[in-house]
Amino acid sequence: MSTEYAVEPLSSSRFPEAATLLARAFQNDPVIASILPGILPEKRAHKLAVMFEEMLAVNSRWNEPLGIVDGGAVRAAAILHRPGTHPLPLGTEIGLLWRVVRRIGPRGLTRFIRWSLRIGRRHPTTPHYYLETLGVEPALQGRGLGSAMLRKIAAVLDAAGDECVLETANDRNVVLYGRFGFEITREEQILGAHVRFMRRRPVM
Ligand SMILES: CC(C)(COP(=O)(O)OP(=O)(O)OC[C@H]1O[C@@H](n2cnc3c(N)ncnc32)[C@H](O)[C@@H]1OP(=O)(O)O)[C@@H](O)C(=O)NCCC(=O)NCCS
């Protein structure tokens, strides 16, 4: 691994790899654990990989996923929605859920929909970016890849002059996002997880 991490759009040929990376990164996330309770981590990772693969493919119609490819492999990936591209059109959202359910079954579906509705309600009504997903290969976490991704994302946001929102249920992530200008706007218990809603205003 080099220490200078280039953050670039990920090509579609990289999506399956990015999806398994995101699945590994998120398999112990508190929100995922409450959407898919009582499932062994490996099985949860498989379900997540399918979900992320479908999400990457669908969202790439509007937004190219960002990532770090280093040593020939995807090491970090993010889905950042531009203003007006989230939530997806209803028909597209239903199609996405249908494909995921067909591949991995309906378990967690009701909870996932409840989660999506609860967070969607809290998003601003004014134009904004939405950082839906950011993950780093677990073995490489804590080495600056996530910060490199956020530096690039902050540059995109400042160039566009737009706000960005995200949510997280992880205390350490709150600290990391705070370093890149995100502030907590609201805290809520959702599906048993302590969710922090965060917003970043652009630096002009
Ligand atoms: C959150 C995440 C993207 C950060 O990327 P990273 O490469 O580990 O972060 P960096 O090395 O650039 O920065 C380290 C900081 O990230 C935060 N952090 C969050 N989770 C961490 C983890 N598992 N390991 C190390 N740092 C983590 C801490 O604030 C840490 O600062 P500290 O070392 O002073 O405590 C990555 O740890 C990850 O993929 N975690 C699992 C998935 C996740 O929670 N994604 C965010 C969803 S909101």
Side-chain angles (χ1 to χ4, degrees), residues 23 26-52 100-101 104-115 190-191 193:
F26 278 90
Q27 66 179 5
N28 296 315
D29 181 79
V31 172
I32 299 296
S34 63
I35 290 176
L36 291 172
I39 297 185
L40 292 174
E42 314 83 64
K43 217 168 169 195
R44 197 188 285 160
H46 167 68
K47 287 177 182 288
L48 281 177
V50 168
M51 186 191 77
F52 281 124
V100 172
V101 166
I104 59 173
R107 191 143 179 205
L109 179 64
T110 315
R111 288 177 148 252
F112 177 76
I113 292 173
R114 268 172 57 201
W115 160 259
I190 305 182
L191 300 179

Side-chain angles (χ1 to χ4, degrees), residues 31 115 167-169 186-190 193-197:
V31 172
W115 160 259
E167 56 279 333
T168 184
R186 186 180 186 98
E187 304 190 33
E188 239 174 270
Q189 288 295 122
I190 305 182
H194 180 196
V195 179
R196 268 57 58 91
F197 291 85

